[in-house]
Every structure is written in C-alpha cells, then in structure tokens.
C-alpha cells in the first residue's frame, strides 16, 4: 500500500505543478492574455466584435477593454457595447422602420451630438463617415429590404480615427453575417482627413457646390467636404466674418437609416415642407430614403430675402446630393 501511495504522489505532484504552471502561463503570458480576450469576445456583444481590430483599442485587456455590453429592445432591438473608450451601436434596421418617438431606441443613437464638425466620407469603398468624434458604416442588404448599421461615439477626448473606422467596418461585416445580410464590403480605409477650413464662398466644389450665393452679401465663407456620394451624412455650412466667425446656414443630407431617424412616420418621409428659417425635402434611394434639411441660425435676421434664399439653397443642395447618390422622386418645398 505504501508503494502505491508513493506512486500516486509521484504522478499527482507533477500534474498539479503542470496545472499551476499552465494557469500561471494563461494568466500572465501574452498568448494567454490574447486567449482570455478571445474567450471573452466569443460571447461579448453577441460575438460581433472582431479581435484584431478591437485589440488596437483595448490592447487585449478583457476586463478594462470590454467592460459592458447590452441588448436593447427585444428581438428587433440593437446591441450596445464598449470597446475601450469607444461605444458601439450595432443594428439591423428594416427600410420601413421609423422612430416612434417613444423610449430611447436605435434611431436616437444615430443622431450623434457632433457640434460643428462635418461628416467626412470614409473612403475605401465603404458607405460610411467620420467626423472625428463619431464614425459609422452602413451595409445595404442585397437579399433583404434592410440595412446593417454600426456607429461609434467616443468618450471624453477619444478621437474616431482610422483605427475606430476599421473597427466599425469590421464589426459591420460580422453583423451582416450574423443577420444573414448579403452586403458588399469595402476595402482598406485610408487615413482620415482633417476637418475642412473656412474658404471663400466662390470656391465651392464639394457639398456646397451649386448653392446660389451671389446675392447674399451676408455670406462670407463656406465649409464643405468632398462630395464623394458614399457618406450616409453630408453637410455644408455658410457663415459670416464680423466680430467673430459665425455660422449662418447649415445644410445637411441624410441617407438610409440616418434619413429614417429624421422623421417619425412614413407619411412625413414622402413629402417636403418648412417655412422661414427651416425647410426640408425627401427622396427615394435604392429602396431606402433620403432626407435633406436647411436651417438658418440665430445669427440670421429672417426676412423675405433670407426665406427665399433658404428655400433655394436647399433646392440646389438636395438636387446635387440626391443625384450623386442615385436618388429619385425628389420632393422639394414650394
């Protein structure tokens, strides 16, 4: 019996030591750190977060880098996840969906508080944008009347640069697979360009091109981005220079789910309207929607000339943008 006990001890002790060594390796080694991270990702945010692109923002830290994920809204809801200091919203959105103006939902997440920043097309063949605070990619489903959307927002001073855009794009591809959405992905995302500077109103060649500003002496400068025709958001800003630079008019275009987020029901989506300092227009784009708007800021004294200009500015802006995005049935305010 003594011999058997000694043999059992000789066998058990190495196994225990190997187990302790293996556990220590799993906890302390770089490979173990990566394995723990990937184990966490398997169930984190429905398994939609890619390892390679997310690790750039988390350094494979499964605890601090992946602190929280939530599902909102039942079977037709959306995923909300933290990746480092970046918050991701991931959703499958039918083209017929509208904001019911009830409890906070996915459309509220598609209205980022971007301040004065303009949306810049991501490039690389992606239908997406970044404004250095937020990024998003929209993938249209060829086999469904729906889109997959992944949007990001940073916390504190987190900047949505190329790494964030790559994470958003890779997550969108995984989400499309998850929802059986037959979508066409883009390629390598180029460096994110800088925000545009103010320039002369006579130099419009992008999103401000075509707006009739000749008789509007109050407009001294514009801010615009290249009109790539691939961003789900576009903007043009017209401003003045007096004691300080102020925005006078801001024009915006929203496409797909971002257009759906702008109106509460399908009836509004088929029309156009507005008065004085605010006008809006709509169009149809490949089974989805487009929404265009212009508003005069508090620095504009609205009179008949300004009202006429606001309407004509929206008309020119919407026609250019809708045409570039392949939209039809443009409805303009009268």
């Amino acid at each position: 019996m003594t011999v058997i006990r000694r043999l059992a001890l000789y066998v058990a002790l190495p196994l225990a030591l190997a187990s302790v060594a293996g556990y220590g390796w799993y906890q302390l080694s770089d490979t173990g750190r990566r394995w723990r991270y990937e184990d966490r990702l398997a169930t984190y945010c429905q398994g939609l977060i890619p390892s390679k692109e997310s690790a750039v923002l988390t350094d494979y830290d499964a605890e601090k880098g992946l602190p929280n994920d939530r599902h909102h809204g039942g079977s037709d809801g959306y995923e909300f996840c933290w990746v480092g200091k970046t918050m991701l919203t991931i959703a499958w959105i039918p083209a017929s969906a509208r904001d019911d103006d009830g409890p906070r939902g996915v459309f509220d997440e598609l209205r980022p508080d971007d301040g004065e920043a303009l949306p810049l097309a991501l490039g690389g063949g992606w239908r997406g944008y970044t404004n250095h605070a937020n990024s998003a990619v929209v993938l249209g489903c060829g086999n469904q009347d729906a889109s997959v959307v992944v949007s990001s927002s940073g916390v504190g001073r987190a900047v949505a640069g190329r790494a964030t855009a790559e994470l958003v794009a890779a997550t969108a591809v995984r989400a499309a697979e998850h929802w059986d959405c037959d979508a066409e992905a883009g390629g390598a995302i180029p460096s994110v360009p800088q925000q545009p500077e103010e320039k002369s109103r006579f130099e419009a060649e992008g999103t401000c091109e075509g707006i009739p500003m000749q008789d509007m002496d109050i407009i001294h400068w514009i801010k615009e981005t290249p009109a790539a025709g691939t961003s789900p958001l576009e903007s043009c800003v017209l401003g003045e220079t007096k004691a300080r630079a102020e925005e006078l008019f801001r024009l915006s275009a929203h496409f797909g789910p971002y257009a759906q987020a702008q109106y509460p029901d399908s009836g509004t989506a088929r029309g156009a309207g507005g008065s004085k300092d605010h006008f809006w227009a709509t169009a149809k784009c490949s089974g989805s929607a487009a929404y265009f708007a212009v508003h005069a800021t508090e620095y504009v004294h609205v009179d008949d000339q300004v009202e006429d200009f606001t309407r004509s500015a929206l008309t020119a802006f919407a026609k250019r943008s809708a045409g570039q995005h392949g939209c039809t049935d443009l409805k303009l305010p009268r």
Side-chain angles (χ1 to χ4, degrees), residues 22-235:
Y23 180 76
W25 173 86
Y26 182 76
Q27 290 295 322
L28 300 176
S29 72
D30 289 340
T31 302
R33 179 185 177 91
R34 187 173 68 250
W35 283 8
R36 294 197 309 276
Y37 186 78
E38 292 174 350
D39 286 345
R40 171 83 164 135
L41 282 181
T43 56
Y44 188 76
C45 204
Q46 301 292 322
L48 299 177
I49 307 301
S51 176
K52 176 183 175 182
E53 289 79 7
S54 64
V56 175
L57 303 181
T58 64
D59 193 28
Y60 290 108
D61 190 329
E63 298 302 321
K64 294 181 180 179
L66 306 173
N68 189 23
D69 65 330
R70 298 194 299 273
H71 175 82
H72 293 269
S75 60
D76 295 329
Y78 63 98
E79 309 303 321
F80 184 83
C81 327
W82 289 75
V83 178
K85 294 183 178 180
T86 298
M87 296 180 288
L88 293 182
T89 298
I90 309 169
W92 176 87
I93 302 179
S96 59
R98 298 291 182 266
D99 187 2
D100 61 7
D101 206 25
R104 187 174 182 85
V106 66
F107 287 125
D108 296 291
E109 304 299 339
L110 298 184
R111 301 189 191 104
D113 181 13
D114 54 8
E116 298 180 356
L118 271 62
L120 302 154
L122 280 187
W126 295 95
R127 187 183 175 200
Y129 85 94
T130 183
N131 60 13
H132 296 168
N134 312 104
S135 294
V137 163
V138 178
L139 294 180
C141 303
N143 58 334
Q144 305 166 7
D145 195 13
S147 297
V148 167
V149 184
V150 178
S151 67
S152 76
S153 60
V155 179
R157 297 183 179 180
V159 176
R162 179 192 275 179
T164 303
E166 290 174 341
L167 169 64
V168 167
T171 302
V173 171
R174 291 174 71 96
E177 295 174 353
H178 174 76
W179 279 300
D180 297 320
C181 166
D182 184 6
E184 184 175 349
I189 295 175
S191 298
V192 175
Q194 296 297 313
Q195 279 288 311
E197 300 288 338
E198 298 169 11
K199 64 181 182 179
S200 168
R201 63 177 183 163
F202 301 110
E203 298 176 1
E205 58 184 0
T207 51
C208 294
E209 185 177 10
I211 296 175
M213 295 177 275
Q214 294 85 348
D215 297 328
M216 291 298 291
D217 293 335
I218 63 172
I219 298 173
H220 303 147
W221 54 263
I222 66 172
K223 279 186 182 180
E224 64 173 0
T225 62
T230 57
S231 175
L233 295 176
E234 290 183 351
S235 292

Side-chain angles (χ1 to χ4, degrees), residues 275-292:
S275 63
K276 294 184 179 180
D277 61 349
H278 176 79
F279 290 92
W280 52 273
T282 60
K284 294 180 180 178
C285 314
S286 302
S288 187
Y291 181 91
F292 310 95

